[in-house]
Amino acid sequence: MKLFKDFPYVPKIMVTGGAGFIGGAVIRNLLKNSESIVFNIDKIGYASDTTSIEKTIKTQKKDISHRYKLLKVDISNKSDILSAVETSDPDLVLHLAAESHVDRSINGPKAFIESNILGTFNLLEALRKHYSNMNSARKNSFRLLHVSTDEVFGTLDKKGRFDESYQYDPRSPYSASKASSDHLVNAWHHTFGIPVITTNCSNNYGPWQYPEKLIPKIIYKAINGEKIPIYGKGENIRDWLYVEDHVDGLFKVLEKGKLGQKYCIGGSEEKTNNEIANFICNYLDKVIPKNYSHKNLISYVEDRQGHDYRYAINASKIINELNWEPKTNFELGLKITIDWYLKNMDWMEI
Ligand code: NAD
């Protein structure tokens, strides 16, 4: 598969947050499956790692190092992101840079306001200037894809699913900051004519995810024989999507999505935290058996403040309009993920 083969020329693509979990998967994919020139704009924070990108560059048959450049930039700094946009002169932008961990947003919301709201505002203003300087042919093909989350919609009861028309009701500092960024992006489209598309995706999992997040944390604790902390009664439900399927959806939206619209992306794989912990423990019991079951390590801890009960996505729009579908079912994706972490325990040390 060659990405962006219908693009009028070889595109320069700016990826913000490209040193993170999903941004890294985006960049690896771009380097392998397109001819594009990729600019990774990342502040290189605690959750960043570019090892996977460097490995991808080294293992290609041809030398592709000239197609990738990392610009260490904090998007909450207005002049730095402005000069990064001038330097990279992008034809396409995928905006993923964000503080992304709900627990951290509860303990310290300010960083989320700075990166997710102010940072998005700075990026939009820099792109507004960039866009206004383009000729009409370039303007026609320019796109900003804003990568957001299903958490902006709030929480669901046992029934119903989020879709593109669902009302926003963010309930954590993280989701409120992401909701704000969605509104800013939408406003810059309607007011200033910037060609944008927004995606709202469910929980991702896969290799290279920073071990503070649920799935790698359970794997890490279980492998090390440590207590596996599970919030409340472990009954909260998320709709899980393998990261490569999310990336595939992002490219479909960027290439064929309608301007100014939103696309909900999800795997239709609703699981409780208990189901996930049990699956991981059962699998580890098979592949690294101990004289006890890994399930004995599960330990229920005080619930997260304001913990949303359930998220679930109705992905019909992207499935029907853009012919996207998740290719990796949860069991397969989780086995691949656990196997990867077993082989990369050194990387897991935090
Ligand atoms: P991540 O925390 O792994 O990576 C985020 C990256 O953004 C990091 O490398 C970080 O350094 C960078 N960043 C943060 N603030 C920055 C700033 N001010 N300037 C420059 N770089 C900055 O997060 P992720 O899981 O890869 O998520 C990426 C995006 O996808 C986020 O916008 C998130 O809201 C969204 N999203 C994530 C999920 C998920 O399950 N992980 C689901 C839906 C949407």
Side-chain angles (χ1 to χ4, degrees), residues 16-23 41-49 73-76 95-100 114-116 147-150 174 178 201-205 209-210 212-213 246:
T16 73
F21 166 52
I22 303 172
I41 309 295
D42 200 297
K43 70 177 177 185
I44 309 296
Y46 77 93
S48 305
D49 184 20
V73 166
D74 187 330
I75 60 168
S76 65
H95 177 36
L96 295 102
E99 291 297 334
S100 68
E114 286 166 355
S115 283
N116 303 1
V147 179
S148 192
T149 165
D150 60 354
Y174 164 66
K178 288 297 292 187
C201 188
S202 60
N203 280 46
N204 283 215
Y205 68 99
Q209 187 171 29
Y210 191 72
E212 68 186 352
K213 299 283 169 66
H246 182 194

Side-chain angles (χ1 to χ4, degrees), residues 34 39 91 108 111 140 147 161 187 227 258 272 296 311:
S34 79
F39 291 88
D91 301 300
N140 278 342
V147 179
R161 291 189 295 169
K227 280 187 176 176
K258 291 193 185 118
T272 65
N296 297 351
Y311 305 142

